[in-house]
Amino acid sequence: MRLLLTGSAGFIGSHLAAHFLDAGHDVIGVDNYLSGQPAHTERLLARPGFSFVQADVSLGLPDVTGPLDWVLHFASPASPPHYQQFPVETLMVGAQGTQHALNLAERTGARFMLASTSEVYGDPLVHPQPETYWGHANPNGLRSCYDEAKRYAEAITMAYHRARDLDTRIIRIFNTYGPHMRADDGRVVTNFINQALAGEALTVQGDGQQTRSFQYVSDLIRGITRLMDVTYHEPVNLGGTEAITMQRFAEVVRQLVNPAVPIRFVPLAADDPRQRQPDITVARTLLDWTPEVSLDDGLRRTVAYFRQLHVQGGPPPSLSPLVHQATD
Amino acid sequence: MRLLLTGSAGFIGSHLAAHFLDAGHDVIGVDNYLSGQPAHTERLLARPGFSFVQADVSLGLPDVTGPLDWVLHFASPASPPHYQQFPVETLMVGAQGTQHALNLAERTGARFMLASTSEVYGDPLVHPQPETYWGHANPNGLRSCYDEAKRYAEAITMAYHRARDLDTRIIRIFNTYGPHMRADDGRVVTNFINQALAGEALTVQGDGQQTRSFQYVSDLIRGITRLMDVTYHEPVNLGGTEAITMQRFAEVVRQLVNPAVPIRFVPLAADDPRQRQPDITVARTLLDWTPEVSLDDGLRRTVAYFRQLHVQGGPPPSLSPLVHQATD
């Protein structure tokens, strides 16, 4: 197969690209490095079958010649500090970016997959969340640049499917972790691991009783590839099902990395969901998929990756400079 | 003042343009006639102070020379049969269209107003709906091309306000009626009036117990102009507060137009909200605004307008031909 993948220099995108190369496919990666990392592209370019175009999918996609089997739209800032630093760019990659990717799929006769997110459920009032739950998201709060961009991306994907007969897939990705995350992505897994590695206090937001359900990245990749093998156009949740409180999670990371560091409580971020956990009945029945990697195993591999980064060279890389200011 | 108004050939846009001309202002109208009506432009062009550009705001806005005080973004298909006929165009005018209008305001130093909608509340679970209610909308259902486009439009408006310091306003327009509605807009007011005028049965959806709260268009216009005079960036509901069941509303229209026609029950449209009614506390306290025109008065004026259309020339005008196919 020949696939075009936006966001190929991102955490999930780079794992997905590597998976397709492993399977003998050709991958055209696209990224503008707003939140993606050039190091991932360098590693992928060393392998046969991978080519790369540095481009902002919100402004357009390269003209692909030759057949294309899939367009996979994974480009977007995804962590709250990143998307809140770039709210307009985040909105654009959800709207114009998704549409450019849809149009490329339509033009080339490729199938299309949208990487959506559990954030479409906002701060959910139903637990766990089935795909049929419409969510509880603030349409204009500080997180809306991401939540509404993804809800819009789902709406336009379904519009292309319904009105223009495009063969589409939508996955809703829940909290995912693993090697190749950005150390500075500001999310709890990398925060805790890097705090512990640096010998600093682990900062738990609020009272620490809010829960998250984590999935290891290889489970997500397996779910994605299984969905590509079936014909199903409605959204599919992919995520871990074992809820853990943030206080308990801090304890786990501390035990694993450095039992000497303390835990410190800090204020809760605005609009932060109390709880989020997927109902994976659809993935289980449609794809025969369940998460397989335990939190303990996944964390050990992730900690090993970050420990190596720390050994190699001090502080984690900071955010890329702004490469695209949204203009008319 | 000098104002640019997108959607100037629409129902609300044409009333708003006329209001500003009455007040001695200059208005640049923009419309692509996807759902707007050329007759409204012709009437407005007969008046001093009005100029018009036929353009699709999703693709860009005319380069305005000279100062501009306001950009008012009112362009969008707004009735379910219209936006479901043009789902991609509806999504685009919410995303690219809103952004082009925001960019024009930023470039010219104008203030910006977004016409949002009660549809951001979806099928609400809270009654009446205050602006702080996050809504209950299906992110990828048949109505999502409109609901999510408007939620996205709010999100990007607030992003421009927060990140780029644009002076913005957001109104959420609830069910509005009056002269100059499209006879074929497919909504209940025009459906009932035109069915009664044609001597046909009034078609009530579902069991007719779902409610709506209507406002007459002159009340809406008064609310809009008051919001332009204050500095307030959060959304403001503008709508009627007296709920009426659709069965009762059919009775009122029948009595007013033609007591001889029967009422017929038909299936409920997909995702149709059971109930929707604004909490107007913000408009009341901030703008000293409440609706003033009674349903009876407003309906009389609206029926008079449609009766004249029926006398003048038979069937109502059908939908404009598709003037813009969304492309890359």
Side-chain angles (χ1 to χ4, degrees):
Chain A
M1 288 200 300
R2 189 160 175 252
L3 312 96
L4 185 137
L5 171 64
T6 75
S8 63
F11 160 48
I12 292 169
S14 65
H15 279 277
L16 200 53
H19 167 86
F20 290 125
L21 296 175
D22 288 345
H25 301 307
D26 290 328
V27 177
I28 305 166
V30 178
D31 211 295
N32 68 345
Y33 297 132
L34 184 68
S35 59
Q37 297 178 277
H40 295 329
T41 303
E42 285 159 29
R43 206 180 51 251
L44 290 165
L45 279 173
R47 305 186 53 174
F50 187 75
S51 61
F52 181 75
V53 182
Q54 186 172 342
D56 184 343
V57 60
S58 300
L59 303 181
L61 272 169
D63 216 7
V64 176
T65 53
L68 205 55
D69 297 285
W70 279 92
V71 174
L72 308 161
H73 182 44
F74 279 66
S76 179
S79 81
H82 287 192
Y83 63 67
Q84 288 179 21
Q85 186 182 351
F86 303 112
V88 175
E89 290 78 4
T90 302
L91 283 155
M92 288 181 76
V93 78
Q96 287 94 325
T98 302
Q99 195 170 7
H100 287 136
L102 285 162
N103 285 338
L104 176 65
E106 188 175 55
R107 212 159 49 220
T108 57
R111 281 170 288 179
F112 175 85
M113 178 180 279
L114 171 69
S116 184
T117 169
S118 59
E119 301 276 341
V120 300
Y121 299 119
D123 190 358
L125 305 176
V126 168
H127 299 280
Q129 294 86 50
E131 290 85 350
T132 49
Y133 177 51
W134 291 355
H136 180 233
N138 183 342
N140 52 52
L142 284 171
R143 301 174 74 108
S144 66
C145 59
Y146 186 61
D147 302 2
E148 293 304 328
K150 288 294 191 181
R151 290 173 64 97
Y152 180 100
E154 289 197 4
I156 196 167
T157 298
M158 289 305 288
Y160 270 68
H161 171 64
R162 291 194 186 105
R164 299 163 76 150
D165 212 28
L166 196 68
D167 191 359
T168 58
R169 306 285 184 280
I170 298 174
I171 50 165
R172 289 182 178 158
I173 303 173
F174 284 66
N175 234 316
T176 306
Y177 71 101
H180 301 168
M181 296 181 86
R182 285 184 73 121
D184 64 345
D185 80 350
R187 285 187 284 194
V188 67
V189 175
T190 47
N191 279 357
F192 284 176
I193 291 176
N194 284 289
Q195 285 167 337
L197 285 171
E200 296 167 2
L202 273 53
T203 50
V204 173
Q205 292 194 357
D207 61 4
Q209 295 313 298
Q210 69 275 29
T211 62
R212 292 291 182 277
S213 307
F214 298 109
Q215 77 181 324
Y216 188 69
V217 63
S218 64
D219 281 328
L220 172 66
I221 301 298
R222 191 166 40 85
I224 289 170
T225 54
R226 290 210 184 158
L227 183 59
M228 291 168 69
D229 288 336
V230 302
T231 299
Y232 185 81
H233 307 294
E234 300 293 321
V236 177
N237 288 339
L238 292 174
T241 49
E242 290 194 24
I244 182 170
T245 69
M246 289 304 89
Q247 183 170 12
R248 173 82 196 117
F249 183 57
E251 292 292 350
V252 171
V253 172
R254 179 163 71 161
Q255 289 308 319
L256 202 65
V257 181
N258 183 353
V261 296
I263 287 175
R264 188 159 58 83
F265 290 87
V266 299
L268 202 64
D271 289 353
D272 196 52
R274 288 288 304 164
Q275 190 182 357
R276 204 175 297 127
Q277 192 182 359
D279 180 327
I280 61 164
T281 306
V282 172
R284 189 180 285 125
T285 53
L286 181 73
L287 312 176
D288 191 25
W289 178 90
T290 48
E292 289 174 1
V293 180
S294 70
L295 184 60
D296 207 59
D297 277 358
L299 272 181
R300 275 175 210 283
R301 296 183 220 174
T302 309
V303 168
Y305 168 79
F306 281 110
R307 202 185 291 276
Q308 191 184 14
L309 280 192
H310 271 253
V311 168
Q312 279 173 356
S318 64
L319 266 178
S320 307
L322 177 61
V323 293
H324 160 59
Q325 264 286 3
T327 50
D328 206 7
Chain B
M1 287 202 302
R2 188 158 176 254
L3 312 96
L4 184 137
L5 170 65
T6 74
S8 63
F11 160 48
I12 292 169
S14 65
H15 279 277
L16 200 53
H19 168 86
F20 290 125
L21 296 174
D22 288 345
H25 301 307
D26 290 329
V27 177
I28 305 165
V30 178
D31 211 295
N32 69 344
Y33 297 131
L34 183 68
S35 59
Q37 297 178 278
H40 294 328
T41 303
E42 284 160 31
R43 204 180 53 249
L44 291 165
L45 279 173
R47 305 187 53 174
F50 187 74
S51 60
F52 181 76
V53 182
Q54 185 173 343
D56 183 343
V57 60
S58 298
L59 303 180
L61 272 169
D63 216 4
V64 177
T65 53
L68 206 54
D69 298 284
W70 280 93
V71 174
L72 308 160
H73 183 43
F74 278 67
S76 179
S79 80
H82 287 192
Y83 62 67
Q84 289 179 21
Q85 186 182 352
F86 303 112
V88 175
E89 290 77 4
T90 302
L91 283 155
M92 288 181 76
V93 78
Q96 287 95 324
T98 302
Q99 194 169 9
H100 286 137
L102 285 162
N103 285 337
L104 177 65
E106 189 174 55
R107 214 160 47 220
T108 58
R111 282 172 285 179
F112 175 85
M113 177 179 280
L114 171 70
S116 183
T117 168
S118 59
E119 301 275 342
V120 300
Y121 300 118
D123 190 357
L125 305 175
V126 168
H127 298 282
Q129 295 87 48
E131 290 85 350
T132 50
Y133 177 52
W134 291 355
H136 179 232
N138 183 342
N140 51 53
L142 283 172
R143 300 174 75 107
S144 66
C145 59
Y146 186 62
D147 301 4
E148 294 303 329
K150 288 293 191 181
R151 290 174 64 97
Y152 180 100
E154 288 197 6
I156 197 167
T157 298
M158 288 305 287
Y160 270 67
H161 171 64
R162 291 193 186 107
R164 299 164 76 151
D165 212 28
L166 196 68
D167 190 1
T168 57
R169 306 284 185 282
I170 299 173
I171 49 165
R172 289 182 178 158
I173 303 173
F174 284 67
N175 234 315
T176 306
Y177 72 101
H180 300 168
M181 297 181 85
R182 284 184 73 120
D184 64 345
D185 78 351
R187 286 188 284 195
V188 66
V189 175
T190 45
N191 279 357
F192 284 177
I193 291 176
N194 284 288
Q195 286 167 335
L197 284 171
E200 297 166 1
L202 273 52
T203 50
V204 173
Q205 292 193 356
D207 61 5
Q209 294 313 297
Q210 69 275 30
T211 62
R212 291 291 182 275
S213 307
F214 298 109
Q215 76 181 325
Y216 188 69
V217 63
S218 64
D219 282 328
L220 172 65
I221 301 298
R222 191 165 40 85
I224 290 170
T225 55
R226 289 209 185 159
L227 182 59
M228 292 168 70
D229 288 337
V230 301
T231 299
Y232 186 82
H233 307 295
E234 300 292 321
V236 177
N237 288 339
L238 292 174
T241 50
E242 290 192 25
I244 183 170
T245 68
M246 290 305 88
Q247 182 168 13
R248 172 82 195 116
F249 184 57
E251 292 293 349
V252 170
V253 172
R254 179 164 71 161
Q255 289 309 318
L256 202 64
V257 181
N258 183 354
V261 295
I263 287 176
R264 186 159 59 84
F265 290 87
V266 298
L268 202 63
D271 289 352
D272 196 51
R274 288 290 301 165
Q275 189 180 357
R276 204 177 296 128
Q277 190 182 0
D279 179 327
I280 61 164
T281 306
V282 172
R284 189 181 285 127
T285 54
L286 180 74
L287 312 176
D288 190 25
W289 178 90
T290 47
E292 289 174 1
V293 179
S294 71
L295 184 61
D296 207 60
D297 277 0
L299 272 181
R300 276 175 210 282
R301 296 184 219 172
T302 309
V303 167
Y305 167 79
F306 282 109
R307 201 185 291 274
Q308 191 184 13
L309 282 192
H310 271 253
V311 169
Q312 278 173 357
S318 65
L319 266 179
S320 307
L322 178 61
V323 293
H324 159 59
Q325 264 286 2
T327 50
D328 206 9

